């Protein structure tokens, strides 16, 4: 057997989830067997040693990275989630709480007492504490702050003073600083004395005696240059920097644009106060993407897929109510043309096509505009040009696909005038979809709202009502 053949295939995360689910099922069956035995209904479940099953489950959890445990917790119903959570070692609680989604974190924190929460939080760095603090009970936060040293307490307060979408709320305080007037050999000796480097350390920060940032020394430059050279000779004196009150999403875009791993955060006087790292930026981009998807669907917040029925209803009802109103409006538009539909039954079969294609086209436009706005590609100077371009796309698509469906309508119903009306209605509705696809997100942004908030619901309402009105109106004028 070759070495490649002998190597055990790497387990995927789904494999590990399946193993955990299987152990939980065996555990549940064992409990059911013991219950049935107590009630003299069936034989005891001898094949299910509860202690061994739980020990095996705990062993598997201990082998997993905190992010993998978080994924498994998110994929389990509440009862099984809490069973697994109780088996996680206390020293890993903090790392896992930081990895799970907000909705799942709420259920885990609710299952922990104050002592467990304090023990988990004490293992965290200042920036991690700031992330978790808003979700902890107030008395736990107060006791936790009292237990910190003065420097840690000040760092946590500093991070909490910023909005969650600002750089200051995401910056890390763990970093390595050096002086510019020392040799690279001295820097290397200094690094060797450290127990470990902070995560994602790809550069060292060069500061003066007042803590003002003078530049950065990339690790690769430290390693390949002559150890006798001074830091000032090889450092980069113009690094990408951020202020703590800057927009975090703009910082994430800069990380993607310049391929950054870490970068300094400085105050208005240029003093180094923290750093941003790639892991926080990746999390931010993922959360922003998920938020946009939820907002476009009209969901108010992230939802635990195993949340109670009532919680899910509360999260979804608002835009469903809006959708109900818009659907009623669309039905009244159809009601205005009852007589036309009675005289020409083909209209009832064809009008959903006009509305459906318009809704799809509008959603395409809105998705492109929301993405462009997120990337800061839309400004006052190019709005009109962008609108003209989208209207042009709608016009071409309307003529092409309207012509196709108009030809089909002529072939099916033997009426060339019906085909012309179908083509005209399709074109006009796609023009409406293009116009609304640009104006809806821009109007929301101007009002200070998320451009994606309920955009899909609104564009569908516009193209449904508009499509019905245009098609049935043209048919009433030209066919009856």
């Amino acid at each position: 057997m070759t070495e490649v053949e002998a190597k055990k295939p790497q387990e995927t995360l789904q494999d590990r989830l399946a193993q955990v689910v299987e152990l939980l099922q065996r555990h549940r069956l064992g409990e059911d067997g013991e219950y049935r035995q107590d009630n003299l209904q069936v034989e005891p479940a001898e094949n299910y040693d509860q202690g061994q099953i739980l020990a095996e489950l705990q062993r598997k959890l201990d082998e997993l990275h905190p992010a993998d445990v978080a994924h498994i917790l998110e994929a389990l119903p509440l009862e099984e989630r809490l069973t697994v959570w109780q088996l996680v070692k206390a020293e890993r609680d903090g790392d896992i709480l930081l990895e799970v989604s907000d909705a799942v974190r709420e259920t885990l924190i609710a299952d922990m007492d104050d002592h467990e929460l304090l023990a988990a939080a004490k293992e965290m760095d200042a920036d991690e504490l700031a992330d978790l603090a808003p979700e902890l009970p107030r008395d736990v936060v107060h006791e936790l702050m009292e237990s910190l040293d003065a420097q840690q307490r000040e760092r946590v307060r500093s991070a909490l003073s910023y909005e969650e979408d600002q750089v200051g709320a995401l910056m890390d305080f763990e970093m390595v600083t050096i002086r510019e007037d020392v040799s690279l050999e001295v820097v290397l000796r200094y690094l060797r004395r450290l127990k470990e480097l902070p995560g994602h350390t790809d550069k060292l920060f060069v500061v003066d005696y007042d803590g003002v940032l003078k530049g950065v020394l990339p690790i690769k430059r430290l390693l390949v240059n002559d150890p006798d050279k001074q830091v000032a000779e090889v450092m980069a004196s113009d690094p990408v920097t951020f202020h703590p009150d800057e927009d975090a999403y703009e910082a994430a875009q800069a990380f993607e644009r310049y391929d950054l791993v870490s970068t300094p955060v400085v105050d208005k006087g240029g003093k180094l106060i923290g750093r941003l790292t790639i892991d926080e930026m990746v999390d931010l981009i993922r959360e922003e993407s998920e938020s946009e998807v939820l907002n476009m669907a009209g969901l108010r917040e992230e939802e635990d897929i195993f949340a109670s029925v009532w919680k899910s209803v509360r999260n979804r009802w608002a835009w469903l109510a809006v959708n109900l109103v818009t659907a009623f409006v669309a039905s009244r538009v159809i009601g205005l043309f009852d007589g036309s539909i009675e005289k020409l039954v083909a209209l009832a079969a064809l009008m959903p096509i006009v509305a459906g294609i318009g809704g799809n086209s509008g959603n395409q436009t809105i998705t492109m505009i929301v993405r462009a706005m997120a990337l800061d590609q839309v400004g006052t100077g190019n709005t009109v040009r962008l609108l003209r371009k989208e209207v042009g796309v709608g016009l071409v698509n309307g003529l092409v696909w309207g012509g196709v469906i108009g030809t089909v309508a002529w072939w099916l119903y033997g009426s060339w005038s019906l085909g012309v009306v179908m083509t005209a209605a399709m074109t006009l509705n796609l023009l409406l979809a293009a116009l609304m696809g640009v104006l809806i997100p821009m109007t929301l942004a101007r009002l200070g709202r998320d451009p994606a908030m309920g955009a899909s619901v609104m564009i569908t309402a516009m193209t449904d009502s508009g499509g019905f009105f245009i098609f049935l109106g043209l048919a009433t004028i030209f066919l009856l």
Side-chain angles (χ1 to χ4, degrees):
M1 183 179 291
T2 66
E3 183 179 351
V4 175
E5 292 172 335
K7 187 182 293 185
K8 182 180 178 181
Q10 185 177 6
E11 292 179 340
T12 67
L13 184 54
Q14 291 305 312
D15 292 334
R16 293 164 180 167
L17 174 60
Q19 292 169 9
V20 169
V21 170
E22 181 184 359
L23 287 170
L24 287 169
Q25 290 175 342
R26 289 170 56 192
H27 173 63
R28 187 169 61 251
L29 286 172
E31 287 184 332
D32 291 345
E34 291 173 2
Y35 173 81
R36 288 191 295 267
Q37 181 189 4
D38 293 340
N39 287 272
L40 302 178
Q41 293 180 14
V42 297
E43 294 298 320
E46 298 176 351
N47 294 330
Y48 299 100
D49 187 319
Q50 297 300 288
Q52 289 181 357
I53 292 173
L54 293 179
E56 174 67 12
L57 183 53
Q58 187 173 49
R59 184 185 66 79
K60 287 192 174 296
L61 294 173
D62 291 343
E63 295 173 353
L64 297 177
H65 188 278
D68 293 342
V69 178
H71 174 81
I72 289 172
L73 290 169
E74 292 172 351
L76 294 174
L78 181 59
E79 183 179 348
E80 295 181 354
R81 178 187 300 159
L82 296 181
T83 298
V84 170
W85 181 236
Q86 292 299 326
L87 296 175
V88 173
K89 290 183 177 178
E91 60 267 23
R92 305 185 72 201
D93 285 353
D95 291 335
I96 295 170
L97 284 174
L98 291 170
E99 294 287 348
V100 295
S101 65
D102 293 345
V104 172
R105 186 185 300 126
E106 181 182 343
T107 65
L108 300 181
I109 289 177
D111 189 57
M112 301 172 71
D113 58 33
D114 289 357
H115 175 74
E116 291 174 318
L117 289 171
L118 284 169
K122 286 179 180 178
E123 299 295 325
M124 300 180 185
D125 296 329
D127 57 308
E128 296 172 335
L129 285 174
D131 288 340
L132 192 61
E135 301 182 47
L136 297 177
R138 183 171 299 180
D139 55 339
V140 172
V141 174
H142 178 74
E143 188 173 346
L144 180 62
M145 294 293 284
E146 291 296 323
S147 68
L148 299 176
D149 59 44
Q151 184 185 50
Q152 284 287 88
R153 191 181 305 121
E154 181 58 33
R155 287 177 171 179
V156 173
R157 285 175 178 165
S158 174
L160 287 173
S161 67
Y162 297 102
E163 300 292 334
E164 63 179 10
D165 59 351
Q166 291 183 314
V167 165
L170 300 177
M171 64 182 177
D172 181 4
F173 300 98
E174 301 298 323
M175 52 195 168
V176 180
T177 59
I178 56 175
R179 304 279 185 246
E180 62 180 332
D181 57 353
V182 299
S183 69
L184 300 185
E185 176 61 32
V186 171
V187 174
L188 287 169
R189 289 204 305 267
Y190 169 63
L191 293 181
R192 292 189 192 104
R193 288 201 301 268
L194 299 176
K195 293 181 180 179
E196 61 178 347
L197 293 177
H200 306 290
T201 297
D202 68 318
K203 57 178 67 76
L204 311 178
F205 302 105
V206 185
V207 297
D208 63 16
Y209 288 96
D210 295 321
V212 175
L213 183 73
K214 309 300 290 186
V216 297
L217 176 62
I219 295 293
K220 60 184 179 182
R221 293 194 189 184
L222 173 64
L223 297 177
V224 302
N225 277 281
D226 186 343
D228 292 329
K229 284 187 175 182
Q230 297 283 302
V231 169
E233 296 180 66
V234 297
M235 72 180 188
S237 57
D238 58 345
V240 177
T241 62
F242 296 100
H243 295 293
D245 55 358
E246 288 188 58
D247 185 85
Y249 193 68
E250 291 181 3
Q253 291 175 336
F255 265 71
E256 186 271 335
R257 189 162 54 249
Y258 302 123
D259 295 325
L260 300 173
V261 175
S262 70
T263 194
V265 180
V266 298
D267 62 16
K268 294 180 180 179
K271 186 175 182 179
L272 180 68
I273 58 175
R275 65 170 185 155
L276 288 179
T277 55
I278 185 64
D279 58 327
E280 289 287 354
M281 297 297 98
V282 170
D283 288 344
L284 178 66
I285 292 171
R286 176 183 55 80
E287 291 169 3
E288 189 74 15
S289 299
E290 291 176 352
S291 177
E292 285 186 4
V293 171
L294 294 173
N295 284 337
M296 290 189 73
L299 293 172
R300 295 191 298 174
E301 60 186 23
E302 181 185 17
E303 181 181 309
D304 178 3
I305 59 172
F306 295 108
S308 68
V309 171
W310 175 238
K311 277 192 173 183
S312 296
V313 168
R314 283 192 303 168
N315 188 34
R316 304 180 194 185
W317 74 268
W319 281 102
L320 288 178
V322 172
N323 203 19
L324 179 62
V325 172
T326 59
F328 179 77
V329 171
S331 72
R332 297 319 304 150
V333 170
I334 296 173
L336 295 174
F337 299 95
D338 282 346
S340 301
I341 295 174
E342 289 176 1
K343 293 178 182 177
L344 189 58
V345 179
L347 299 180
L350 294 174
M351 64 183 184
I353 300 176
V354 177
I357 296 296
N360 187 36
S361 177
N363 275 309
Q364 289 177 342
T365 301
I366 262 186
T367 300
M368 294 297 297
I369 298 301
V370 169
R371 177 181 178 275
M373 294 178 75
L375 296 175
D376 290 329
Q377 296 173 347
V378 178
T380 54
N382 59 13
T383 302
V384 174
R385 180 177 296 181
L386 183 62
L387 185 59
R388 283 204 306 263
K389 176 254 184 180
E390 290 299 328
V391 168
V393 172
L395 178 62
V396 172
N397 279 333
L399 292 173
V400 171
W401 297 112
V404 170
I405 196 62
T407 303
V408 172
W410 174 36
W411 177 69
L412 286 175
Y413 299 101
S415 172
W416 66 267
S417 55
L418 178 60
V420 171
V421 165
M422 191 72 182
T423 301
M426 183 80 77
T427 303
L428 291 174
N429 199 32
L430 289 185
L431 289 173
L432 174 65
L435 183 65
M436 292 297 103
V438 175
L439 293 182
I440 286 174
M442 288 188 173
T443 302
L444 288 171
R446 188 175 292 274
L447 294 174
R449 307 297 297 273
D450 186 337
M453 177 61 74
S456 179
V457 176
M458 287 188 279
I459 193 66
T460 300
M462 295 296 297
T463 53
D464 279 359
S465 299
F468 292 148
F469 183 81
I470 292 169
F471 178 58
L472 295 175
L474 290 175
T476 300
I477 293 171
F478 295 106
L479 300 181
L480 302 174

